[in-house]
Amino acid sequence: MESIKIMWLQAGGCTGCTISLLNSSSLKIKNLLLDEIVPGKIISLIFQPTIMAGSGEKVIEVIKEESLKGDFTLVVEGGISTKDNGIYGKIGEKTFLEILIELGEKASGIICIGTCSSFGGIPKGGPNPTGIKPVKEILKEKNIKKEVINIPGCPPHPDWFVGTVAKIIAGIPLGLDELNRPTDFFGKLIHENCPRRPYFDKGKFAKDFSEEGCLYLLGCKGPFTYADCPIREWNGGINWCIKNNSPCFGCTEPEFIDENSPFFKRKEIEKIGELK
Amino acid sequence: MREKIIIDPITRIEGHLKVEVEIENKEVVDAKCSGMLYRGIEKILIGRDPIDACQITQRICGVCPVAHASASSIALDNAFGIKEKIPENAFLVRNLIHASNHIHNSILHFYHLSILDFIDVSRVKKGISSEIDLLCKFLERDNYSPFVPRDNDFRLSQEANLRVVQNYIKGLEIRRYAHQLLSIFGGKMPHQCGIVPGGVTQKVDIGKIENAIGKLKDIKEFVEFYYFSDLKDIGEKYPEYFKIGSSYGNYLTYGVFPIRNNGSIEKFQPGGVVFEIEKLEEIDEKEIREDIVNSWYEGEIENPEKDSPDINIKKNGYSWIKSPRYKGKVVEVGPGARLVIAYKKNVQPWKKEIDKVLNEFKIDISKLNSVMGRHIARFIEAKVLINECLNWILKIKPDQDFYLKYEIPEEGQGIGLSEGARGAVGHWISIKNKKISHYQVISPTTWNGSPKDSNGNYGPIEKALIGTKINDEKNPVEILRIVRSFDPCLACAVQVIDSKKFNKSNFFLWV
């Protein structure tokens, strides 16, 4: 049985990415934890602070041992603070920044889960009080040459993570866009697949939430946002933002949050994303 | 001889929490609780469009985002002067979104954050159920992560252990249903998009109502039968946990789930303050102050309505968490607080359900102030809220309004008081030139996880730790169980460190 070992660093985030992964339904979370993810291959969550049993020295020993072997994938959730040497977030007297560098150097690959680690996200919002930087940028500055896969979203859809990992394990080449996002999930604009597109094309726009129509004037960032939410839908196909009559906030983009806010005001259409 | 144990951070909680305790003759004599993450969300909000607060503050916590959406929308409704005019449907749908988040949290907290302290996942045998067979196959591996390493003190019988392990796996599915229930009304989860100032974005039609009732029935079945029996099994084998982990017995809740009743707004779970389990008072939010003498901020006392202190890494400080106090007193917030206050106020259906469950466990209301008491309180809440959701759903009138149009005023001020699963959440907002000029949040773990205040009073978690007997210093499960019973929400976690070995070599990995 071949296993992919995962060490999951939670940095300056909200745990929403972890909780979203627990919502996995295409492949249920019990199967993700206990079963083969693709035939003959399993995920081994060596370190995942929200769900793991142990605490204490025992855990440290395992991490120490496993990180030396180097045969693990580092998953980073949350923003990495760099201001004042990153004192704004610590685990075991070490800053997230130090931990990222230490584990990043040893990891065989790095997956950023969520917009905070991928691009900075919410905590990077102006005035960026703690000096959050994307993981990719930090590694570049420290001259750590490791491939980074970004799976943004606030939070990301569980399928985006599970699908990406499954593809890696199965040895199928992963297409990435210029922002290191898997093109399988981030290849098309929300706008391209939006069920309200006919309203946009006809010029029927809702001006408040009691009206029917395209949500562009209510601030929808669908024309600027790459993600497959309209096809995939959320929480096991129950609903998603636009279906819930709420504008897309563009949470999978580096522009989230500063350039994508005010969330409920229109963004100039000249900046519309390009079809890929 | 005094010995120090540092737990930094603790797994199976939300956020970065460090706990430091001193032990003498196997008893905890001092405790320090430190929040280890600062993101400055309140600073990020300044200058932004007020209605964005509802989305941005949700990102404070991915486990209980709805509590912040709720407090924020109430603060904004107040600041915009539209609170009284919000359509009844909006109250109902907001409550459904919010209650589903609490139901999800009870299941998440008991089954996935706490229960591994009480069950042995490796003591199972094939042929009981598909879940257990899946686990047996897993146990044939050479690596049991994430179920190893682990602590010990597992006391359940073989049969009870099997049942509860099975429900641990089943619970993974059921918790997801609670998020699906939420998503029917809130668009997606975590970080729903349904709640906005003025109401909710989406009208609810009969299809959604039917779908939601279906989800509620699935969750209800699991909660009423399995959750309860698992709680009983654990309660029986760990009787001392009805006594340990007590804080002061002072409780505070703002009340939650507003409903319109003949023109006035009432809360399904009432607000109030109780001192020493006995003295009940109505709450006055003007009595809230944040003591920051031991926190890494400039100054000593803060008024959330107007102050927004800057960072100052003081020498004597030991936490990013502030110490909110009510009339200068330390209070515990959370499900225990909500139940004690509803009970003291004789509010139904709470009183009846609480009496029933207390009777099953042969305890009185004061025992909610304990490790097991907090677990029981979460169960009672889940059960009552599931039934109330069914009532709320049937009150929705699909042909009427769900949203009220409004204008953002040039200037305004608003307070939004609500509850997260973990306790009282307050948002204070000021608006100038249609932009946010001040924003302060006091969240549940700020109350429960607070450091010592200027009067030298310990925060609730610290207080609950002090006096606890530690059976095995190398394996201080008592501390972990006490801290986890509060369901602290800071965001992540790892290691218990023996102070004698607290040196660089221990942190090999991080160095």
Side-chain angles (χ1 to χ4, degrees), chain A residues 158-206:
Chain A
D159 289 359
W160 300 342
F161 180 80
V162 177
T164 302
V165 172
K167 227 176 159 180
I168 296 170
I169 296 182
I172 305 167
L174 203 62
L176 297 180
D177 69 8
E178 68 280 9
L179 295 169
N180 291 34
R181 299 178 294 195
T183 45
D184 288 328
F185 307 110
F186 302 94
K188 286 204 157 87
L189 290 167
I190 297 272
H191 196 57
E192 282 174 79
N193 289 315
C194 185
R196 296 203 186 188
R197 182 63 183 271
Y199 287 136
F200 178 88
D201 292 343
K202 270 188 163 179
K204 186 181 178 190
F205 297 104

Coordinates of all heavy atoms in Angstrom, one line a residue, chain A residues 158-206:
Chain A
P158 N -14.1 21.3 -1.0 CA -13.3 20.1 -0.7 C -12.9 19.3 -1.9 O -11.8 18.8 -1.9 CB -14.3 19.3 0.2 CG -15.6 19.9 0.1 CD -15.4 21.4 -0.3
D159 N -13.7 19.3 -3.0 CA -13.3 18.6 -4.2 C -12.0 19.1 -4.8 O -11.3 18.4 -5.4 CB -14.4 18.7 -5.3 CG -15.7 17.9 -4.9 OD1 -15.7 17.2 -3.8 OD2 -16.6 17.9 -5.7
W160 N -11.8 20.4 -4.6 CA -10.6 21.0 -5.3 C -9.4 20.4 -4.6 O -8.4 20.2 -5.3 CB -10.6 22.6 -5.1 CG -11.8 23.2 -5.7 CD1 -12.6 22.7 -6.7 CD2 -12.3 24.6 -5.5 NE1 -13.6 23.6 -7.0 CE2 -13.4 24.8 -6.3 CE3 -11.9 25.6 -4.6 CZ2 -14.1 26.0 -6.3 CZ3 -12.6 26.8 -4.6 CH2 -13.7 27.0 -5.4
F161 N -9.4 20.2 -3.3 CA -8.3 19.7 -2.6 C -8.2 18.1 -2.9 O -7.1 17.6 -3.3 CB -8.4 19.9 -1.1 CG -7.2 19.4 -0.3 CD1 -6.0 20.0 -0.3 CD2 -7.3 18.2 0.4 CE1 -4.9 19.5 0.4 CE2 -6.3 17.6 1.1 CZ -5.1 18.3 1.1
V162 N -9.3 17.5 -2.6 CA -9.3 16.0 -2.8 C -8.9 15.6 -4.2 O -8.1 14.7 -4.4 CB -10.7 15.4 -2.4 CG1 -10.7 13.9 -2.6 CG2 -10.9 15.7 -0.9
G163 N -9.5 16.3 -5.2 CA -9.3 16.0 -6.6 C -7.8 16.2 -7.0 O -7.2 15.4 -7.7
T164 N -7.3 17.3 -6.5 CA -5.9 17.6 -6.8 C -4.9 16.5 -6.2 O -4.1 16.0 -6.8 CB -5.5 19.0 -6.2 OG1 -6.3 19.9 -6.8 CG2 -4.0 19.3 -6.5
V165 N -5.2 16.1 -4.9 CA -4.4 15.1 -4.2 C -4.5 13.8 -4.9 O -3.5 13.1 -5.2 CB -4.7 15.0 -2.7 CG1 -4.0 13.9 -2.1 CG2 -4.3 16.3 -2.0
A166 N -5.8 13.4 -5.3 CA -6.0 12.2 -6.0 C -5.2 12.1 -7.3 O -4.6 11.1 -7.6 CB -7.5 12.0 -6.2
K167 N -5.2 13.2 -8.0 CA -4.5 13.2 -9.3 C -3.0 13.1 -9.1 O -2.3 12.3 -9.8 CB -4.8 14.6 -10.0 CG -5.2 14.4 -11.4 CD -5.5 15.7 -12.1 CE -5.4 15.5 -13.6 NZ -5.7 16.7 -14.4
I168 N -2.5 13.7 -8.0 CA -1.0 13.6 -7.8 C -0.7 12.2 -7.4 O 0.2 11.6 -7.9 CB -0.6 14.5 -6.6 CG1 -0.9 16.0 -6.9 CG2 0.8 14.3 -6.2 CD1 -0.7 17.0 -5.8
I169 N -1.5 11.6 -6.5 CA -1.3 10.2 -6.1 C -1.3 9.2 -7.3 O -0.6 8.3 -7.4 CB -2.3 9.8 -5.0 CG1 -2.1 10.6 -3.8 CG2 -2.1 8.3 -4.7 CD1 -3.0 10.2 -2.6
A170 N -2.3 9.5 -8.2 CA -2.5 8.6 -9.3 C -1.4 8.8 -10.4 O -1.3 8.0 -11.3 CB -3.9 8.8 -9.9
G171 N -0.6 9.8 -10.2 CA 0.5 10.1 -11.1 C 0.0 10.7 -12.4 O 0.7 10.6 -13.4
I172 N -1.1 11.3 -12.4 CA -1.6 12.0 -13.6 C -1.1 13.5 -13.6 O -1.2 14.1 -12.5 CB -3.2 12.0 -13.7 CG1 -3.7 10.6 -13.5 CG2 -3.7 12.7 -14.9 CD1 -5.2 10.5 -13.3
P173 N -0.5 13.9 -14.7 CA 0.0 15.3 -14.7 C -1.0 16.3 -14.4 O -2.2 16.2 -14.8 CB 0.6 15.5 -16.1 CG 0.7 14.1 -16.7 CD -0.3 13.2 -16.0
L174 N -0.6 17.3 -13.6 CA -1.6 18.3 -13.1 C -1.3 19.6 -13.9 O -0.2 20.1 -13.9 CB -1.3 18.6 -11.6 CG -2.3 19.1 -10.7 CD1 -3.5 18.3 -10.6 CD2 -1.7 19.3 -9.3
G175 N -2.3 20.1 -14.5 CA -2.2 21.4 -15.2 C -2.4 22.5 -14.3 O -3.3 22.5 -13.5
L176 N -1.4 23.5 -14.3 CA -1.5 24.6 -13.4 C -1.6 25.9 -14.2 O -1.0 26.0 -15.2 CB -0.3 24.7 -12.4 CG -0.1 23.6 -11.5 CD1 1.1 23.9 -10.6 CD2 -1.3 23.4 -10.5
D177 N -2.4 26.9 -13.7 CA -2.4 28.2 -14.4 C -1.3 29.1 -13.9 O -0.4 28.6 -13.1 CB -3.8 28.9 -14.3 CG -4.1 29.4 -12.9 OD1 -3.2 29.3 -12.0 OD2 -5.2 29.8 -12.6
E178 N -1.2 30.3 -14.4 CA 0.0 31.2 -14.0 C 0.0 31.5 -12.5 O 1.0 32.0 -12.0 CB 0.0 32.4 -14.9 CG -1.1 33.4 -14.7 CD -2.4 33.1 -15.4 OE1 -2.5 31.9 -15.9 OE2 -3.3 33.9 -15.4
L179 N -1.1 31.3 -11.8 CA -1.2 31.5 -10.4 C -1.0 30.2 -9.6 O -1.4 30.1 -8.4 CB -2.5 32.2 -10.0 CG -2.6 33.6 -10.5 CD1 -4.1 34.1 -10.2 CD2 -1.7 34.6 -9.8
N180 N -0.5 29.1 -10.3 CA -0.3 27.8 -9.7 C -1.6 27.1 -9.3 O -1.5 26.3 -8.4 CB 0.7 27.9 -8.6 CG 2.1 28.2 -9.1 OD1 2.3 28.9 -10.0 ND2 3.1 27.6 -8.4
R181 N -2.7 27.5 -9.9 CA -4.0 26.8 -9.5 C -4.2 25.7 -10.5 O -4.0 25.9 -11.7 CB -5.1 27.8 -9.6 CG -5.0 29.0 -8.6 CD -6.2 29.9 -8.8 NE -6.2 30.6 -10.1 CZ -6.9 31.7 -10.3 NH1 -7.7 32.2 -9.4 NH2 -6.9 32.2 -11.5
P182 N -4.8 24.5 -10.0 CA -5.1 23.4 -11.0 C -6.2 23.9 -12.0 O -7.2 24.3 -11.6 CB -5.6 22.3 -10.0 CG -5.1 22.6 -8.7 CD -5.0 24.1 -8.6
T183 N -5.8 23.7 -13.2 CA -6.8 24.2 -14.3 C -8.1 23.4 -14.3 O -9.1 23.8 -14.8 CB -6.1 24.2 -15.7 OG1 -5.5 23.0 -15.8 CG2 -5.2 25.4 -15.8
D184 N -8.0 22.2 -13.7 CA -9.2 21.3 -13.7 C -10.3 22.1 -13.0 O -11.5 21.9 -13.3 CB -8.9 20.0 -12.9 CG -8.1 19.1 -13.7 OD1 -8.2 19.1 -14.9 OD2 -7.3 18.4 -13.1
F185 N -10.0 22.8 -11.9 CA -11.0 23.5 -11.1 C -11.1 25.0 -11.3 O -12.1 25.6 -11.0 CB -10.7 23.2 -9.6 CG -10.6 21.7 -9.3 CD1 -9.4 21.1 -9.0 CD2 -11.7 20.9 -9.5 CE1 -9.2 19.8 -8.8 CE2 -11.6 19.5 -9.2 CZ -10.3 18.9 -8.9
F186 N -9.9 25.6 -11.8 CA -9.9 27.0 -11.9 C -9.6 27.5 -13.3 O -9.1 28.5 -13.6 CB -8.8 27.6 -11.0 CG -8.9 27.2 -9.5 CD1 -8.3 26.1 -9.0 CD2 -9.7 28.0 -8.7 CE1 -8.5 25.7 -7.6 CE2 -9.9 27.6 -7.3 CZ -9.3 26.5 -6.8
G187 N -10.1 26.7 -14.2 CA -9.8 26.9 -15.7 C -10.8 27.9 -16.3 O -10.5 28.4 -17.4
K188 N -12.0 28.0 -15.7 CA -13.0 28.9 -16.3 C -13.5 29.9 -15.4 O -13.6 29.7 -14.2 CB -14.1 28.0 -16.8 CG -13.8 27.2 -18.1 CD -15.1 26.8 -18.8 CE -14.8 26.5 -20.3 NZ -14.4 25.1 -20.5
L189 N -14.0 31.0 -16.0 CA -14.6 32.1 -15.1 C -16.0 31.6 -14.6 O -16.7 30.9 -15.3 CB -14.8 33.3 -16.0 CG -13.6 34.1 -16.4 CD1 -14.0 35.1 -17.5 CD2 -13.0 34.8 -15.2
I190 N -16.3 32.1 -13.4 CA -17.7 31.8 -12.9 C -18.7 32.3 -14.0 O -19.6 31.6 -14.3 CB -17.9 32.7 -11.6 CG1 -16.9 32.2 -10.5 CG2 -19.3 32.6 -11.2 CD1 -17.4 31.1 -9.6
H191 N -18.4 33.4 -14.5 CA -19.2 34.1 -15.5 C -19.5 33.2 -16.7 O -20.6 33.3 -17.3 CB -18.5 35.4 -16.0 CG -19.3 36.4 -16.7 ND1 -20.5 36.9 -16.1 CD2 -19.2 37.0 -17.9 CE1 -21.0 37.8 -17.0 NE2 -20.2 37.8 -18.1
E192 N -18.5 32.4 -17.1 CA -18.7 31.5 -18.3 C -19.8 30.5 -18.1 O -20.4 30.1 -19.1 CB -17.4 30.8 -18.7 CG -16.4 31.7 -19.4 CD -15.0 31.0 -19.5 OE1 -14.9 30.2 -20.5 OE2 -14.1 31.3 -18.8
N193 N -19.9 30.0 -16.9 CA -20.8 28.9 -16.6 C -22.0 29.4 -15.8 O -22.8 28.5 -15.3 CB -20.1 27.8 -15.9 CG -19.2 27.0 -16.8 OD1 -19.5 26.7 -17.9 ND2 -18.0 26.8 -16.3
C194 N -22.1 30.7 -15.5 CA -23.2 31.1 -14.6 C -24.6 30.9 -15.1 O -24.9 31.3 -16.3 CB -23.0 32.6 -14.3 SG -24.1 33.2 -13.0
P195 N -25.4 30.3 -14.3 CA -26.8 30.1 -14.8 C -27.6 31.4 -15.0 O -28.6 31.5 -15.6 CB -27.5 29.3 -13.7 CG -26.6 29.4 -12.5 CD -25.2 29.7 -13.0
R196 N -27.0 32.5 -14.4 CA -27.7 33.8 -14.6 C -27.1 34.6 -15.8 O -27.4 35.8 -16.0 CB -27.6 34.7 -13.3 CG -28.3 34.0 -12.2 CD -28.7 35.0 -11.1 NE -29.3 34.2 -10.0 CZ -29.9 34.8 -9.0 NH1 -30.0 36.1 -8.9 NH2 -30.4 34.1 -8.0
R197 N -26.2 33.9 -16.5 CA -25.6 34.6 -17.7 C -26.6 35.2 -18.7 O -26.5 36.3 -19.2 CB -24.7 33.6 -18.4 CG -23.9 34.2 -19.6 CD -23.0 35.3 -19.2 NE -22.4 35.9 -20.3 CZ -21.2 35.4 -20.8 NH1 -20.6 34.5 -20.2 NH2 -20.7 36.0 -21.9
P198 N -27.7 34.5 -18.9 CA -28.7 35.0 -19.9 C -29.2 36.4 -19.4 O -29.5 37.3 -20.2 CB -29.9 34.0 -19.9 CG -29.2 32.7 -19.5 CD -28.1 33.1 -18.6
Y199 N -29.4 36.6 -18.1 CA -29.8 37.9 -17.6 C -28.7 39.0 -17.9 O -29.1 40.1 -18.3 CB -29.9 37.9 -16.0 CG -31.1 37.1 -15.5 CD1 -31.0 36.3 -14.4 CD2 -32.4 37.3 -16.0 CE1 -32.1 35.6 -13.9 CE2 -33.5 36.7 -15.5 CZ -33.4 35.8 -14.5 OH -34.4 35.1 -14.0
F200 N -27.5 38.6 -17.7 CA -26.4 39.6 -18.0 C -26.4 39.9 -19.5 O -26.4 41.1 -19.9 CB -25.0 38.9 -17.7 CG -23.8 39.8 -18.0 CD1 -23.3 40.6 -17.0 CD2 -23.2 39.7 -19.2 CE1 -22.2 41.4 -17.3 CE2 -22.1 40.4 -19.4 CZ -21.6 41.3 -18.5
D201 N -26.5 38.9 -20.3 CA -26.5 39.2 -21.8 C -27.7 40.1 -22.2 O -27.6 40.9 -23.1 CB -26.5 37.9 -22.6 CG -25.2 37.1 -22.4 OD1 -24.2 37.7 -21.9 OD2 -25.2 35.9 -22.6
K202 N -28.8 39.9 -21.5 CA -30.0 40.7 -21.9 C -30.1 42.0 -21.2 O -30.9 42.8 -21.5 CB -31.3 39.9 -21.5 CG -31.8 39.0 -22.5 CD -33.1 38.4 -22.0 CE -34.0 37.8 -23.1 NZ -35.2 37.3 -22.6
G203 N -29.1 42.2 -20.2 CA -29.1 43.5 -19.5 C -30.2 43.5 -18.4 O -30.6 44.6 -18.0
K204 N -30.6 42.4 -17.9 CA -31.5 42.4 -16.7 C -30.7 42.3 -15.4 O -30.3 41.2 -15.1 CB -32.6 41.3 -16.9 CG -33.6 41.4 -15.8 CD -34.7 40.3 -15.9 CE -35.7 40.5 -14.8 NZ -36.6 39.4 -14.6
F205 N -30.6 43.4 -14.7 CA -29.8 43.4 -13.5 C -30.6 43.6 -12.3 O -31.4 44.5 -12.3 CB -28.7 44.5 -13.6 CG -27.7 44.2 -14.7 CD1 -27.8 44.9 -15.9 CD2 -26.7 43.2 -14.6 CE1 -26.9 44.7 -16.9 CE2 -25.8 43.0 -15.6 CZ -25.9 43.7 -16.8
A206 N -30.4 42.9 -11.2 CA -31.0 43.1 -9.9 C -30.4 44.3 -9.2 O -29.1 44.4 -9.3 CB -30.9 41.9 -9.0

